[in-house]
Amino acid sequence: MKIGAHVSIAKGLSSAVEYAESVGCECFQIFAKSPRQWHGPPLDPDAVELYLETLSASEISAAFTHTAYLLNLATAEPLLRRRSIVALTDELVRGAELGVAGVITHVGSDPHEDPSAAAQRVADAVRDALAAADAHATRRVDLLLENTAGAGRTYGGPIEHLAAVFALLGDARARVGLCLDTCHAHAFGYDVRTDVGWDQLLGLIRDQCGGEAIRAVHANDCVAPVGSHRDRHAWVGDGEIGLPGFSAMLRREELAEVCAITEMPGELPAKDILNIQRLKMLRGECDSG
């Protein structure tokens, strides 16, 4: 697996690449605009050009963007649904401009707790956004749906939720994959502390979503116990998943070509340096053992 972190673009897009390299990233994730706003200013063409040049000159193999937190693709409320589709379209266009390997998004919450209807709403929203983005962007970009911890009415905790969306995408299915968040999976109830747990989860994903569904991993430890539905990230090895769980992840052949990205609380740059180092250490032990 390639290993990296979510990094800030506060000092500029090209500076984000430089920071990512400085902390040992082999891949990274950014927000293409503020994650807490529906709209953002257009990307500056000169800044994008410098970013792409900096990225090309680096040793980093892939970059991803994450959408704003406001999006709710599962909602049945017409105005929120429309705003979410427009916002996702914008995120996809930005991702295309930045040449990312994928745009990662949460799918939102299901107000009526009707998984079948929610799956149809998410699939329809994804198809609409991809089509609209393709009409405005110079290149096509893939979308990755992220699993959730299952708190409240959030949609996407069970793998079956996302599998149901994939099954309804039609021709768009090839453009849509899964971003597997380890903290969310553990908090939902998938025990990823052992080889057996990982084999069970990956087998479920393979059977339900297809063998190549996972396009990225958010490698986050979890503060809370398995099945708690509490989405609280911990540093790699400091939470309930622990170093053995991440070692098991890194031994899975199905994930060998997937990027693992950390999303940690804490002070910069220590949080990124140390978490990346821990994952690389485990990877090295797997490669040598």
Side-chain angles (χ1 to χ4, degrees):
M1 297 181 83
K2 299 296 184 182
I3 294 167
H6 180 95
V7 302
S8 173
I9 62 168
K11 296 182 179 179
L13 288 166
S14 60
S15 293
V17 179
E18 293 167 352
Y19 172 82
E21 275 205 298
S22 75
V23 296
C25 288
E26 300 163 341
C27 54
F28 66 87
Q29 174 183 278
I30 58 173
F31 292 120
K33 66 171 189 60
S34 169
R36 302 189 184 282
Q37 296 181 357
W38 286 106
H39 307 290
L43 294 174
D44 177 76
D46 292 335
V48 170
E49 182 178 4
L50 179 58
Y51 161 83
L52 293 173
E53 290 174 355
T54 307
L55 183 60
S56 178
S58 76
E59 297 296 321
I60 293 172
S61 62
F64 298 82
T65 58
H66 196 294
T67 65
Y69 299 129
L70 301 173
L71 274 68
N72 188 346
L73 306 178
T75 184
E77 199 282 309
L79 178 58
L80 178 57
R81 175 176 175 76
R82 185 61 204 155
R83 294 184 78 179
S84 297
I85 294 171
V86 170
L88 179 58
T89 301
D90 177 63
E91 298 275 11
L92 289 165
V93 171
R94 290 169 186 270
E97 291 180 52
L98 296 170
V100 299
V103 174
I104 299 168
T105 191
H106 301 149
V107 295
S109 59
D110 171 17
H112 304 300
E113 298 186 81
D114 181 346
S116 296
Q120 187 67 65
R121 291 194 295 271
V122 174
D124 290 345
V126 166
R127 282 198 307 270
D128 288 351
L130 285 170
D134 288 350
H136 293 90
T138 56
R139 62 183 289 274
R140 290 155 65 98
V141 67
D142 290 348
L143 180 66
L144 311 185
L145 307 183
E146 183 175 342
N147 61 306
T148 73
R153 295 180 178 179
T154 55
Y155 185 81
I159 295 302
E160 290 83 357
H161 280 186
L162 300 177
V165 174
F166 292 152
L168 294 167
L169 288 172
D171 292 342
R173 174 64 184 88
R175 302 270 303 281
V176 184
L178 170 65
C179 174
L180 179 66
D181 188 299
T182 55
C183 172
H184 297 172
H186 180 84
F188 178 74
Y190 298 114
D191 190 343
V192 290
R193 295 175 291 185
T194 65
D195 289 298
V196 171
W198 270 103
D199 286 342
Q200 290 175 343
L201 176 57
L202 293 179
L204 176 64
I205 292 171
R206 182 173 59 251
D207 293 344
Q208 294 282 330
C209 305
E212 297 183 355
I214 301 175
R215 312 272 187 87
V217 168
H218 283 163
N220 304 312
D221 213 328
C222 187
V223 170
V226 62
S228 64
H229 302 294
R230 293 173 61 203
D231 177 14
R232 291 186 59 200
H233 295 189
W235 287 22
V236 170
D238 291 351
E240 292 284 323
I241 297 173
L243 293 179
F246 288 99
S247 181
M249 177 190 78
L250 289 158
R251 287 195 295 272
R252 309 273 69 80
E253 292 184 5
E254 304 97 310
L255 301 177
E257 302 302 318
V258 174
C259 288
I261 296 165
T262 63
E263 302 171 309
M264 301 301 176
E267 294 296 321
L268 298 173
K271 73 181 183 73
D272 294 325
I273 292 172
L274 291 175
N275 283 287
I276 290 169
Q277 284 179 347
R278 289 177 185 182
L279 287 173
K280 286 183 176 181
M281 176 195 71
L282 294 173
R283 183 180 64 185
E285 292 174 356
C286 294
D287 291 343
S288 63

